[in-house]
Amino acid sequence: MTQPGSVGIVAPQRARFTEPLPLRSGGRLDEYELVYETYGQLNAARDNAVLVCHALSGSHHVAGTYADQPDNLGWWDNLIGPGKPLDTRKFFVIGVNNLGGCHGSSGPSALNPATGRRWGADFPFVTVEDWVDAQARLMDQLGIERLAAVVGGSLGGMQALSWTLQYPERVRHAAVIASAPKLSAQNIAFNEVARQAILTDPDFHSGHYYDHGVVPARGLKLARMVGHITYLSDDSMGEKFGRSLRHGKAVYSYDVEFEIESYLRYQGDKFAGFFDANTYLLTTKALDYYDPAFAHGGDLAQALAVASARFLVVSFTTDWRFAPERSREIVYALLHNQRAVSYAEIDCPAGHDSFLLDDPRYHGVLGAWFDRIEVR
Amino acid sequence: MIYRYDFDVIAQWIAPGERVLDLGCGDGSLLRHLMDARQVHGYGVENAPENLLACVKNGVNVIQIDMEKGLAGFEDGFFDHVIMSLSLQAIHNTVGILAEMLRVGREAVVSFPNFGYWRHRQSILNGRMPVSESLPHQWFNTPNVRFFTIADFDALCADNGIAVRERLAFDEGTLILEEPNFLASVAVYRLGRN
C-alpha cells in the first residue's frame, strides 16, 4: 500500500557513460554506469528538474516503493511526492547513486570492465567534485541543461554546494541541509575510527574480500555503530534508551544489557548486511577531502564567489556532527558575496538525523522555499 | 500585509541598490517593500520560526540568529543601512545591539514606540499600563522588555557617541514637529557613528 502523497511504485534506471571521467585523485574511469530514479514529469521547458544528492548511506532510491519490495520506502519519501514539500506535481525529481556506491552504480562491488572481476580496492578514490561531474553528465543524458534546484543533506549538502561552484550556470537554487563547508578534525577522527574498524577486520583482505567469499562484517558493523552515535543527540539517545536494562538489573555480562547496546548492535548488523565496506571507506574519504576553500587559501567567501544560485541553508540545533556553526560559515560566505540566501536553524531534538525527519517547521520552510521556485 | 507608515520614512533614507540588513524583520514586509521600491540587496534577521517561514514565503532573504547574541558573523561596514523597525524595545542588550548595528552598517535606522507619548502618560496617571496602537500588548503578554521615551533614547545616544543624523516623530501616522516626546507615539531615527 502506498500512502496518500506518495510517488507510488518506482523503478530504478541505468545510464551508461563511455566518455572517460577524469578524477581529482589523478585516476580515471574509462567507462561507468549510474543508477537513478525519477519522480514526476520533466516539463516541456525542461526547467523543473530537482536533483537530490544522497549522504553516506543513501542511494538513488529517494522516494516511493518497489513493486516487489513494498516496504522498501525511499530514504527521503517524507519530503518528496504529490503535495509534499518537494512536490512532484510541479517538479521532476532525480535521485542518483553516486560513483563508488554499492546500490548499482559503478563502484568497488561492481565488475571492473577491464578485468571482468569486481573492482574491490582497485576502484579509484572519488571526491564530491567527481560525483558532481558524473551527476552533470547524467543531466546531459537526460537533456537537462539547468537544474531548478539541487538539494542534499549532510554529505548530500556538500554535493549541492559543490554544484553551485562547479556548474554555477547549471543550477538556479541550492538547498544545503545539515551540512558543512568542510569536516572538522573531530569529524575526520570519527571517520578514521570507522575506517580502522574495517581496515583491521581479518576478513577485509586489503579490499579484495569478494574474491575470498567473505565480507568484513565486524568492521563495517563497528563503523556503523560509531557513526550512529554521532547522528543522534545526547538528549535523543537519553530519551529513547536512557539506562534501560534488558534484564531489569545488571547481570554482569558482555552480552546486551543496556538497550542502547541492543540498538547499536542491531543497527550495525543491519547495515553490515547490505552495505559495502569499500564503499564506506571511499565515501568517508570523500567527506574528509571536501574543502572548496582549500584552493583559496582557506577563504570560503572567495571560494563561493562563483556561485550564483539562490540558497537555502538549514541546520538543526542538536546536530553536533554538522553543527549549526558550520552551516553559518556557508551563510556568511554567501552573504559576503551578496548572494541570495536564507538560513533556518531548526530546533529539533534528534541530532544530525533530524534532516531525515518531517519536523513541521523544517518541512514548512523547505516547502515554502520550493514553492517560490519558478518553472514554466 | 498591514500598512506601516514608518516603512515610507525608512524607504526615503535608502538609496537604490543599497545593501540593507533588517533586524527583527518580521514577515519580511519592509524588505519586500525596499526590494520592490529601491531594488536593495536585502537580508532579514529573525529568530521566530513563524516569521522565518513568512519571510521565505515572501521571497525575502532571511537569516535565523538570536540578535541578543550580537551580529558576530557579519562583517564590519558591510551594509549601507541596518534597520531595526519597532523591535529595539524587545531587545535586552540595547547598547550592545546599537553598537553592532553601527559596526556592520554605515548607518542605522531605528524606530520605536515612545513610552512618553501623552496617551501613555495619561494611562499611567489613571493607574493603568498603556495599551495603544504603538504599544498593543497587555503588560502580562508584551514581548517588550525595555520601556523608554524619545528623550531617554536621545540621552542614550549622547552617552554612547551615537550621532543622531535625523529624527522623525509621528502620532499614529501624522508627522509631529513640536514636543515629540509628549505628542509622538513613534519615533524613527537615522543614526551614525560620531
Side-chain angles (χ1 to χ4, degrees):
Chain A
M1 278 297 287
T2 51
Q3 299 292 319
S6 167
V7 298
I9 304 235
V10 299
Q13 299 172 74
R14 181 171 291 275
R16 187 172 159 71
F17 302 83
T18 51
E19 190 191 333
L21 183 74
L23 303 170
R24 299 302 188 283
S25 60
R28 190 176 76 162
L29 281 170
D30 287 327
E31 51 184 298
Y32 56 95
E33 294 184 336
L34 295 174
V35 288
Y36 65 98
E37 289 179 9
T38 68
Y39 323 107
Q41 296 294 322
L42 186 61
N43 64 10
R46 308 181 93 78
D47 71 350
N48 68 332
V50 176
L51 176 66
V52 179
C53 302
H54 70 74
L56 183 51
S57 61
S59 72
H60 55 284
H61 184 40
V62 184
T65 61
Y66 295 138
D68 58 345
Q69 299 168 47
D71 295 332
N72 189 349
L73 199 62
W75 58 269
W76 220 349
D77 189 79
N78 62 22
L79 183 79
I80 298 155
K84 290 182 179 172
L86 179 43
D87 195 331
T88 48
R89 293 171 303 189
K90 175 180 178 184
F91 293 110
F92 177 66
V93 180
I94 305 153
V96 55
N97 184 214
N98 282 326
L99 275 182
C102 56
H103 292 93
S105 291
S106 295
S109 53
L111 291 182
N112 177 351
T115 63
R117 293 170 56 220
R118 291 177 187 237
W119 280 95
D122 297 333
F123 196 85
F125 278 90
V126 282
T127 65
V128 167
E129 289 84 354
D130 296 330
W131 287 336
V132 169
D133 283 340
Q135 289 162 5
R137 290 188 179 184
L138 177 62
M139 295 312 117
D140 293 341
Q141 271 202 16
L142 295 174
I144 296 159
E145 175 53 35
R146 202 162 179 231
L147 288 162
V150 55
V151 50
S154 191
L155 175 58
M158 290 174 167
Q159 293 159 60
L161 179 61
S162 206
W163 258 97
T164 70
L165 310 181
Q166 291 174 251
Y167 300 97
E169 71 290 349
R170 294 190 68 174
V171 49
R172 292 193 283 140
H173 301 79
V176 180
I177 302 166
S179 195
K182 62 173 187 264
L183 291 194
S184 67
Q186 189 193 47
N187 292 151
I188 296 169
F190 280 117
N191 282 344
E192 175 58 6
V193 171
R195 282 192 294 267
Q196 285 300 319
I198 293 168
L199 292 166
T200 58
D201 186 317
D203 286 337
F204 183 64
H205 296 290
S206 304
H208 292 289
Y209 44 87
Y210 319 104
D211 299 341
H212 294 77
V214 293
V215 290
R218 281 164 295 181
L220 193 52
K221 173 183 175 178
L222 277 177
R224 185 60 168 177
M225 287 169 77
V226 171
H228 249 285
I229 298 169
T230 70
Y231 304 149
L232 301 178
S233 69
D234 193 16
D235 282 350
S236 64
M237 210 183 258
E239 193 171 308
K240 218 166 166 181
F241 308 105
R243 291 180 52 86
S244 296
L245 285 159
R246 174 159 290 192
H247 308 289
K249 59 175 183 171
V251 296
Y252 304 99
S253 119
Y254 293 114
D255 289 334
V256 167
E257 285 197 85
F258 291 95
E259 287 300 337
I260 182 63
E261 296 174 320
S262 168
Y263 172 80
L264 286 178
R265 289 185 197 194
Y266 170 76
Q267 290 294 340
D269 284 330
K270 192 174 81 169
F271 190 70
F274 75 88
F275 207 82
D276 180 65
N278 281 318
T279 289
Y280 201 89
L281 293 173
L282 278 179
T283 308
T284 57
K285 288 301 275 188
L287 265 162
D288 292 1
Y289 290 133
Y290 188 63
D291 182 8
F294 186 77
H296 299 269
D299 186 340
L300 186 64
Q302 199 184 95
L304 268 48
V306 296
S308 56
R310 302 178 68 86
F311 282 81
L312 175 68
V313 180
V314 180
S315 73
F316 300 91
T317 49
T318 55
D319 183 354
W320 56 280
R321 178 94 192 222
F322 288 84
E325 293 88 315
R326 314 308 313 286
S327 283
R328 276 187 229 123
E329 290 173 33
I330 299 172
V331 172
Y332 290 127
L334 290 168
L335 192 69
H336 175 89
N337 291 299
Q338 257 177 252
R339 296 297 177 263
V341 56
S342 283
Y343 170 60
E345 201 169 296
I346 308 291
D347 189 10
C348 183
H352 187 55
D353 269 352
S354 299
F355 88 87
L356 295 169
L357 305 181
D358 61 353
D359 179 280
R361 285 156 301 181
Y362 167 43
H363 273 197
V365 168
L366 275 179
W369 186 77
F370 279 118
D371 272 351
R372 294 284 310 189
I373 296 178
E374 288 175 12
V375 300
R376 274 178 280 175
Chain B
M1 209 185 301
I2 48 164
Y3 174 71
R4 289 259 306 267
Y5 52 86
D6 61 325
F7 286 9
D8 285 338
V9 175
I10 293 168
Q12 283 174 29
W13 291 340
I14 308 294
E18 281 194 359
R19 293 175 178 181
V20 172
L21 183 66
D22 184 5
L23 302 178
C25 64
D27 65 0
S29 299
L30 173 59
L31 277 174
R32 187 74 254 171
H33 177 63
L34 294 175
M35 285 162 71
D36 296 340
R38 291 285 185 272
Q39 294 76 47
V40 299
H41 296 278
Y43 298 86
V45 165
E46 256 300 337
N47 202 25
E50 62 278 11
N51 286 338
L52 197 90
L53 178 62
C55 286
V56 173
K57 284 183 176 168
N58 264 332
V60 168
N61 294 317
V62 60
I63 294 165
Q64 186 172 13
I65 56 168
D66 178 4
M67 279 185 290
E68 293 280 6
K69 293 175 184 158
L71 304 173
F74 295 88
E75 296 167 64
D76 291 0
F78 186 80
F79 293 97
D80 297 297
H81 282 101
V82 180
I83 301 167
M84 188 180 278
S85 169
L86 299 180
S87 292
L88 187 65
Q89 74 283 358
I91 304 271
H92 281 97
N93 187 7
T94 315
V95 174
I97 196 66
L98 287 170
E100 280 288 81
M101 291 174 77
L102 288 169
R103 176 182 69 79
V104 305
R106 189 168 50 77
E107 283 190 333
V109 173
V110 172
S111 66
F112 58 83
N114 176 28
F115 205 73
Y117 179 47
W118 68 272
R119 288 183 195 276
H120 298 158
R121 298 187 193 200
Q122 187 179 50
S123 184
I124 297 270
L125 278 175
N126 288 335
R128 297 295 301 270
M129 287 298 283
V131 175
S132 68
E133 192 180 346
S134 60
L135 287 174
H137 296 89
Q138 293 287 345
W139 65 272
F140 51 83
N141 65 7
T142 179
N144 300 334
V145 295
R146 300 281 182 241
F147 302 93
F148 54 101
T149 67
I150 289 174
D152 287 330
F153 190 71
D154 286 341
L156 184 80
C157 290
D159 287 349
N160 287 278
I162 296 170
V164 176
R165 303 230 163 113
E166 209 166 337
R167 183 190 71 202
L168 294 171
F170 298 88
D171 178 9
E172 316 294 8
T174 306
L175 191 65
I176 299 295
L177 297 174
E178 302 290 327
E179 298 289 342
N181 198 41
F182 188 67
L183 297 175
S185 57
V186 167
V188 192
Y189 281 70
R190 190 162 61 84
L191 306 170
R193 285 172 292 245
N194 264 340

